[in-house]
Amino acid sequence: MALSKAAMSGTGTSEQTRQSLEAAAAKAEVFEPTCLFHGRSEIALGEALTRHPVSLNFYALGATTAVRSHTLENVVLDTDSLILFKDGQAIAETVYFEPAGAARQLSGNLALTSLPDDEDLIFGYNNAHLGYQHWLTQCLPAIDWSLRRKRARGVRLILPRLAPWQEETLAALGLDRIPRLTPEANTRYHLPRVEYSDFLIGATSFAICMSGLETAKRLAKAMPCLASDDKVLYIDEVNPYYGSIRNEGNVIDLLRRRGVTIVERTRLSTAERINLFRHADAIIGPLGHGLTDVLFCRPGTLLWEWMPRHHQNASFNRLAQAAQVDYWGDMFETVAEPSSPGQWEIDLDLVEQRLKVLSTRLAHRAAAVATTADSVAIATRSISSRPVRELMAGFESLGDNCEFGLVQQQAGVASAGLLRFNGFHVASEFRLEKLVAALHSRFEGLGAPGTITVSPEGAPGQRELIVHDSAFGLLCHSGTQEGQLDPEVRIERAAKVLGFLRRRLLEDLATGHKIWVWKSQGKTRREEIQPLLQTLRQLGPNSLLWVVEADDDHPAGSIEPLESDLIKGYVDHFAPYKGVANIHSASWFEVCWRADEFCHPDRPAPEPGPEAEYQPPPPPPTAMEFLARNPPPTPLATPAVKPRPAAGSVIGRWLRRP
């Protein structure tokens, strides 16, 4: 049946008119709640990456991401862009990896192809589905977890024509028998009811996602497992989206001399690659889809990722953390006069140095008792029915450095605060005193004419314009690189921003809606905190969270209520001032959750259970039960994994090398 656009979506809409997936959904189901995550990955970044601002994205996360499935009713699918429309408005999150020139509005009296309303439709792909990483970490989990629901009627997957390797993964999970709708090009469908999950919009790509890992484990379990002597792998990226390595030939020669197996991905089936990764002790390779298979590695394996200076991406770091794989990250220089766009070059001397460290690591690993994926628990703990972003937005930092602001950044809190990334430029033992005096004066005069200067600071080529305030001795990050903006313009903008943040700080203090956080590397005594608490009380009905490092009597994540408006919290450790990104955010999240519970006892929130291994809900009877009447297509044969001839211990070869 064909329906007019006017009948389905009402009047036209401008290209800018959108609505959120949450607002458009009739209901939502949680596949994975936000949990504290006590991962065991060891993370080590090379000097070049450590100095780069992006390094903040590569350190340990302390919480998993929430993953939901949204049930949408009476929406329109544009098959060419894969954008979904509700009441004529594009659903914002479905505008993901859209092709160039994709229409973001319904126009004209275009006839719609309507589908019957007697089955549940499940969206199973996005515009990036042809990429191995996107298929394995977005599309496949979306299908897998959606089909775990108990249903009273049949289902149909919305999927395009797939490549043989994609069909292979569906068959391995037993999902190849589900009926499908294959959208036709240049067509718009009216979908009476469709399920669309957070996996498909990239919500899990830069987060810790345990449900996605569970799908990968299911896939690995379905593939043949054969012995392999290839313990150190180099993954050759045959289609380098981020630019080619100019001296890759020299790199491969060096690695071969050291006994590294060079994996040519295009010559192997998915089953063969999974088998290699599950037996490997170390994975080496440039940023690219080939590193996705780190999901199949054993805990304690090492991923050594190489990135060009012109592009860094933390998604494989996140996969490694979820799988409890250790992570090394190195950044290499972009070629000044490349023969092809984005060309970069590997520092062979640095690789030689790292290989010596890797040799020692392998020796220790060979001497240790082997562990398996089943014997190492992943410690997770539910912290609240609310997303961690919502929890952490209820706090604001008072100093003494950027650490708590970075914890909030990990949680996805975007709002700025006066002291979130700004601080007093004095010795740490005097910062609390300066803070109390500034609050007592209500920061009067902050941003006044003549009090602001800027100067570039940082490594050459990466220098940031730092804002200096003479009224209170504040140093402020501007977020502006040297040469991007005239200093006088930057001064004018900084004055306006500081004035705005001051006003908002005073408004928040007057309402008392936030919990204020103070921490210091220096040993702060209770009597030194009292003046700060008294000042906060004078400014409004405020509560103070005073955070210190854990000790023998106070474990990380615990709190100690001292007064009705004063809580002492204990985190695992503070990051050093010169390495502020090395944060143990899980204990910060737990402290904040407990402080929030104490300050807002009427807010409903379930008490978390004891720390335990992550156990996803067992797959219930799926829609396949209701689809038995549908004859299965001819299954694809799973490629056989041929055992390699034994050629002596690779570990032994490594240990014999200098």
Side-chain angles (χ1 to χ4, degrees):
M1 182 176 72
L3 299 176
S4 70
K5 167 188 169 292
M8 283 302 307
S9 56
T11 59
T13 178
S14 68
E15 185 171 345
Q16 287 73 32
T17 304
R18 302 189 195 179
Q19 59 180 312
S20 70
L21 187 58
E22 183 177 5
K27 68 175 183 178
E29 177 185 0
V30 176
F31 287 159
E32 177 181 346
T34 298
C35 291
L36 294 177
F37 178 76
H38 298 281
R40 294 177 173 85
S41 297
E42 295 180 1
I43 299 173
L45 306 183
E47 183 179 357
L49 183 55
T50 299
R51 292 200 311 264
H52 197 283
V54 78
S55 65
L56 302 178
N57 299 327
F58 286 82
Y59 287 97
L61 290 181
T64 66
T65 187
V67 185
R68 297 170 297 173
S69 177
H70 307 267
T71 299
L72 303 165
E73 296 179 349
N74 294 316
V75 294
V76 174
L77 165 64
D78 175 69
T79 59
D80 293 336
S81 66
L82 296 190
I83 297 174
L84 292 175
F85 295 85
K86 172 71 174 177
D87 298 328
Q89 296 181 335
I91 298 177
E93 291 87 344
T94 66
V95 183
Y96 181 68
F97 273 94
E98 63 176 359
R104 300 189 184 183
Q105 63 183 89
L106 296 176
S107 58
N109 293 319
L110 180 68
L112 302 177
T113 300
S114 187
L115 300 176
D117 188 15
D118 60 353
E119 60 188 356
D120 295 333
L121 296 170
I122 296 173
F123 223 98
Y125 75 115
N126 55 29
N127 280 313
H129 74 279
L130 292 176
Y132 184 69
Q133 177 188 8
H134 297 285
W135 175 258
L136 201 66
T137 64
Q138 296 177 352
C139 305
L140 205 59
I143 298 168
D144 180 28
W145 282 83
S146 296
L147 290 172
R148 295 180 183 220
R149 294 178 55 188
K150 292 183 179 180
R151 300 178 186 276
R153 59 183 190 173
V155 299
R156 189 173 297 273
L157 294 174
I158 301 177
L159 282 173
R161 292 176 178 83
L162 299 176
W165 65 267
Q166 293 173 312
E167 293 287 2
E168 177 190 349
T169 59
L170 287 175
L173 293 176
L175 306 178
D176 56 326
R177 302 187 178 201
I178 307 298
R180 302 182 195 177
L181 165 67
T182 302
E184 297 181 4
N186 196 30
T187 305
R188 286 180 176 170
Y189 292 89
H190 165 230
L191 309 179
R193 182 183 177 91
V194 64
E195 296 168 22
Y196 196 100
S197 78
D198 286 341
F199 287 112
L200 297 177
I201 62 176
T204 64
S205 295
F206 298 94
I208 303 296
C209 179
M210 304 309 298
S211 46
L213 177 65
E214 171 63 19
T215 296
K217 286 183 175 181
R218 282 193 60 209
L219 180 61
K221 189 174 181 180
M223 296 295 184
C225 180
L226 299 174
S228 172
D229 286 323
D230 299 315
K231 299 301 183 183
V232 183
L233 312 178
Y234 175 79
I235 310 304
D236 183 12
E237 187 55 58
V238 295
N239 185 24
Y241 175 79
Y242 303 108
S244 62
I245 299 174
R246 183 167 67 177
N247 62 336
E248 187 172 32
N250 295 334
V251 172
I252 290 176
D253 287 343
L254 169 61
L255 295 176
R256 280 202 174 108
R257 292 197 304 270
R258 295 302 303 267
V260 177
T261 300
I262 309 301
V263 178
E264 299 181 48
R265 295 180 60 241
T266 57
R267 295 176 178 267
L268 300 175
S269 69
T270 302
E272 289 174 318
R273 290 200 306 272
I274 290 175
N275 194 67
L276 279 175
F277 273 73
R278 79 165 108 218
H279 289 294
D281 288 326
I283 308 296
I284 307 170
L287 171 64
H289 286 279
L291 300 184
T292 308
D293 290 321
V294 71
L295 285 168
F296 306 113
C297 289
R298 296 166 296 170
T301 303
L302 172 69
L303 171 62
W304 179 16
E305 183 181 18
W306 300 346
M307 288 163 283
R309 180 173 290 280
H310 59 263
H311 193 101
Q312 300 80 39
N313 185 316
S315 61
F316 299 107
N317 168 283
R318 301 314 191 209
L319 296 182
Q321 288 190 47
Q324 301 184 90
V325 168
D326 294 341
Y327 179 87
W328 290 358
D330 271 304
M331 185 172 70
F332 298 95
E333 295 301 322
T334 304
V335 175
E337 297 181 0
S339 57
S340 59
Q343 200 172 51
W344 46 299
E345 188 163 7
I346 301 299
D347 182 342
L348 296 180
D349 290 338
L350 186 148
V351 172
E352 281 276 20
Q353 295 170 16
R354 294 280 194 275
L355 289 175
K356 292 177 181 178
V357 178
L358 179 56
S359 184
T360 302
R361 173 190 173 92
L362 291 173
H364 291 165
R365 187 174 177 86
V369 177
T371 61
T372 66
D374 294 332
S375 66
V376 182
I378 298 175
T380 63
R381 175 182 287 184
S382 174
I383 57 174
S384 144
S385 59
R386 294 184 297 154
V388 68
R389 177 179 56 80
E390 182 181 328
L391 167 71
M392 298 304 291
F395 294 78
E396 185 160 337
S397 177
L398 293 175
D400 71 331
N401 68 344
C402 301
E403 178 165 347
F404 185 68
L406 294 172
V407 172
Q408 289 182 302
Q409 181 173 292
Q410 283 196 2
V413 178
S415 60
L418 178 60
L419 298 172
R420 182 177 179 183
F421 295 126
N422 308 326
F424 296 99
H425 186 47
V426 294
S428 59
E429 60 266 29
F430 300 113
R431 291 176 187 173
L432 181 56
E433 180 182 342
K434 291 280 288 186
L435 170 65
V436 172
L439 288 172
H440 188 73
S441 71
R442 304 170 66 89
F443 280 95
E444 188 66 40
L446 182 64
T451 63
I452 303 296
T453 58
V454 297
S455 63
E457 296 184 15
Q462 304 174 29
R463 305 214 303 174
E464 178 187 7
L465 291 179
I466 299 296
V467 177
H468 302 256
D469 155 67
S470 61
F472 293 93
L474 285 176
L475 282 187
C476 314
H477 290 281
S478 70
T480 303
Q481 296 298 306
E482 182 181 19
Q484 289 182 342
L485 196 65
D486 181 86
E488 291 301 320
V489 176
R490 181 68 266 177
I491 288 173
E492 182 180 351
R493 290 187 182 180
K496 291 180 179 179
V497 169
L498 289 174
F500 166 76
L501 293 178
R502 170 186 175 267
R503 292 191 298 273
R504 192 163 76 173
L505 173 74
L506 296 176
E507 290 170 0
D508 288 339
L509 286 165
T511 61
H513 290 162
K514 293 191 174 182
I515 299 174
W516 303 92
V517 180
W518 168 260
K519 54 79 60 180
S520 175
Q521 300 285 55
K523 299 296 183 181
T524 309
R525 299 187 302 274
R526 168 68 185 274
E527 56 268 26
E528 294 173 313
I529 286 294
Q530 202 64 31
L532 174 59
L533 181 62
Q534 287 297 119
T535 302
L536 292 176
R537 287 170 175 169
Q538 293 167 7
L539 292 169
N542 295 296
S543 296
L544 175 63
L545 173 60
W546 167 29
V547 182
V548 300
E549 292 183 314
D551 55 36
D552 292 340
D553 298 324
H554 304 91
S558 65
I559 66 168
E560 180 184 6
L562 301 179
E563 298 187 41
S564 61
D565 53 0
L566 176 61
I567 309 106
K568 192 174 185 180
Y570 298 85
V571 297
D572 184 83
H573 67 270
F574 289 144
Y577 286 134
K578 292 186 178 180
V580 72
N582 185 17
I583 298 167
H584 193 270
S585 53
S587 57
W588 272 104
F589 291 151
E590 191 161 7
V591 161
C592 290
W593 166 69
R594 296 189 183 281
D596 181 70
E597 289 281 288
F598 177 78
C599 293
H600 304 286
D602 298 331
R603 178 181 291 150
E607 177 72 19
E611 195 170 282
E613 181 175 359
Y614 174 78
Q615 294 289 345
T622 69
M624 293 168 63
E625 292 185 354
F626 305 101
L627 301 170
R629 64 184 184 276
N630 296 288
T634 303
L636 296 175
T638 302
V641 180
K642 298 179 180 179
R644 297 175 182 267
S649 169
V650 173
I651 297 295
R653 295 203 304 270
W654 272 79
L655 297 183
R656 287 194 296 270
R657 295 182 181 274

